[in-house]
Amino acid sequence: MKRLWLLFLVVTTGWISNAHSQPVGYLHLTAAQLPAKLFVDSLSVPPARDTLLALSPGTHRIRATTPFRADWLLRDFQRSVRIKALDTTTVAIVFPRYFFLSSQPEGAFVRAANAVLGRTPLLANWETLKNTPVRLEKRGYLSRQIRLQNPNEKRLIIRLKKDPGYWKRFNQLLQKKRLQRKRLRWGAAGTGGAALASGVAAYFLKKKANAAYDTYLKTPFPDKIQTYYNRAQRYDTYAGTTYLIFEINLISSAILLLLTMGK
């Protein structure tokens, strides 16, 4: 029995010594502004301006809550860091500061490092853009590039100037479209009037053809039968031709009206 207890004590002591001999890494946290709360992974750490923690090697997540809860343009600090064994990793806690970026007129594209961040008005991160040229672009206005200067500015308004060349081309194109629309309207009116006239003519010619055919059927004079038949056939041909003209003009008028609406 004594031997068993002695063996257990030797094994336990060896395991504890091995556990304590495993290498660790160090995380050095600095903060210009004292966080309200500080967490490393799920562990709560007492907030301090200078903190040194011994952690196991691997990836750890840091989260620091801002003490300025009244200022909703400030956000909590969050970052993942990789700790190496027997090495010290220093992380400066800087709370992300946001601001409103607006333009006059609004709706300008905001680009930074060839990436489109969105359109104005835009809520932007100061820490991300402070060392990056920011470019505002809007159709009809000259592009403008700026660099952020004041970190305490909560709203930045950029005024864009009109591009004279663009608006000149725009007005020329607008006048051209108006002229095209006017011509299409006149064309639709002309073909519509022609359709109306040819439709009325086709109606009366058809009536005359029917009357001539009735006369052909009822005539008692054999020498007049061919004459009345030829007359009925001629009026029927005229009626068919004018009806075809009516359909062509009606379709043309409808197409021109659709084109006018499209312009």
Side-chain angles (χ1 to χ4, degrees), residues 28-255:
H28 182 209
L29 298 175
T30 62
Q33 296 168 331
L34 191 66
K37 294 180 180 179
L38 179 61
F39 299 91
V40 177
D41 298 330
S42 58
L43 180 66
S44 177
V45 179
R49 296 184 183 273
D50 198 291
T51 304
L52 184 64
L53 301 174
L55 300 173
S56 60
T59 302
H60 298 272
R61 184 165 183 80
I62 307 166
R63 183 169 70 90
T65 59
T66 173
F68 307 102
R69 288 299 178 187
D71 189 352
W72 66 278
L73 291 176
L74 286 175
R75 299 289 192 271
D76 293 344
F77 175 86
Q78 298 186 42
R79 182 178 298 178
S80 294
V81 295
R82 185 170 182 81
I83 305 298
K84 296 181 180 180
L86 304 177
D87 195 9
T88 301
T89 302
T90 301
V91 176
I93 298 176
V94 179
F95 296 109
R97 183 182 297 274
Y98 285 75
F99 69 100
F100 282 105
L101 180 59
S102 302
S103 65
Q104 291 183 351
E106 293 182 346
F109 285 101
V110 181
R111 295 180 181 271
N114 296 324
V116 178
L117 303 181
R119 287 189 174 188
T120 56
L122 179 71
L123 186 63
N125 188 338
W126 171 268
E127 296 298 327
T128 303
L129 301 179
K130 64 180 180 180
N131 297 320
T132 305
V134 179
R135 189 176 185 85
L136 281 78
E137 300 175 353
K138 184 176 176 64
R139 183 181 297 178
Y141 294 83
L142 297 174
S143 300
R144 186 171 173 185
Q145 183 169 299
I146 61 170
R147 281 187 176 272
L148 304 179
Q149 301 292 336
N150 185 6
N152 297 319
E153 195 164 20
K154 294 185 177 182
R155 188 177 186 89
L156 181 61
I157 302 175
I158 306 300
R159 291 174 173 81
L160 302 177
K161 295 182 179 179
K162 286 187 175 182
D163 184 358
Y166 173 87
W167 290 106
K168 183 179 179 180
R169 294 189 300 271
F170 177 81
N171 290 329
Q172 290 175 349
L173 183 60
L174 184 62
Q175 291 178 1
K176 185 178 179 180
K177 286 188 174 182
R178 286 176 179 172
L179 182 60
Q180 289 178 347
R181 191 181 294 114
K182 185 177 181 180
R183 289 175 178 173
L184 288 172
R185 283 200 298 263
W186 277 107
T191 53
L196 179 62
S198 57
V200 173
Y203 173 77
F204 284 106
L205 288 171
K206 187 63 178 177
K207 286 187 69 175
K208 284 193 173 185
N210 292 336
Y213 189 73
D214 288 342
T215 304
Y216 155 74
L217 294 176
K218 296 176 181 178
T219 182
F221 308 104
D223 57 335
K224 297 289 187 180
I225 291 176
Q226 188 63 38
T227 302
Y228 291 142
Y229 178 77
N230 291 338
R231 181 182 299 172
Q233 193 176 32
R234 186 169 61 253
Y235 279 127
D236 192 62
T237 302
Y238 292 160
T241 303
T242 52
Y243 185 76
L244 180 61
I245 295 172
F246 162 74
E247 287 186 334
I248 292 173
N249 283 298
L250 183 64
I251 293 172
S252 300
S253 179
I255 292 173

